[in-house]
Amino acid sequence: QLQLVESGGGLVQPGGSLRLSCKVSGFTLDYYSIGWFRQAPGKEREGVSYISRNGESTNYADSVKGRFTISRDYTKNTVYLQMNSLKPEDTAVYYCAANVLDYGTTWYKTSLYDYWGQGTQVTVSS
């Protein structure tokens, strides 16, 4: 059974940084593309970033381009989301999700992912 566990969330001031981790267990990371999503109170879950199975293709929501970076470490079976220049509007619960297929322009669709983590809270506030 594939399991995903997010960590690294917390409270940070505007302009600060956090690095989220998505630890995959049950299967090796090579078989899965990974998406990061977030959900703020009263809003729909939205795609933040994506990395393909071989790590060569990445995608970002327009709202985080230039500030967030996704990466994966196969030796640790972990995907990271480095978040810099954080803004109050980045406040949300962040989730990682996995799928056995690679996606291009449709990576942000939540319905495409079969496995989800439990989420980690990110709060950006002064």
Side-chain angles (χ1 to χ4, degrees), residues 12-101:
V12 64
Q13 291 187 343
S17 298
L18 283 174
R19 189 178 77 160
L20 304 184
S21 299
C22 174
K23 173 73 172 178
V24 176
S25 61
F27 290 90
T28 60
L29 191 57
D30 310 54
Y31 295 123
Y32 296 92
S33 64
I34 301 293
W36 279 100
F37 295 79
R38 66 186 181 187
Q39 188 166 20
K43 294 189 177 181
E44 292 188 355
R45 193 170 297 189
E46 63 174 358
V48 175
S49 186
Y50 162 89
I51 189 165
S52 62
R53 289 174 295 178
N54 63 9
E56 293 183 0
S57 177
T58 59
N59 285 289
Y60 298 93
D62 287 343
S63 59
V64 307
K65 279 181 183 176
R67 300 189 297 122
F68 290 11
T69 303
I70 192 170
S71 61
R72 56 196 298 160
D73 185 335
Y74 295 96
T75 64
K76 295 182 178 180
N77 245 28
T78 300
V79 172
Y80 301 100
L81 185 68
Q82 178 67 44
M83 306 187 297
N84 299 328
S85 302
L86 283 162
K87 305 176 181 179
E89 51 262 45
D90 294 317
T91 295
V93 178
Y94 283 70
Y95 300 88
C96 62
N99 195 283
V100 295
L101 300 176

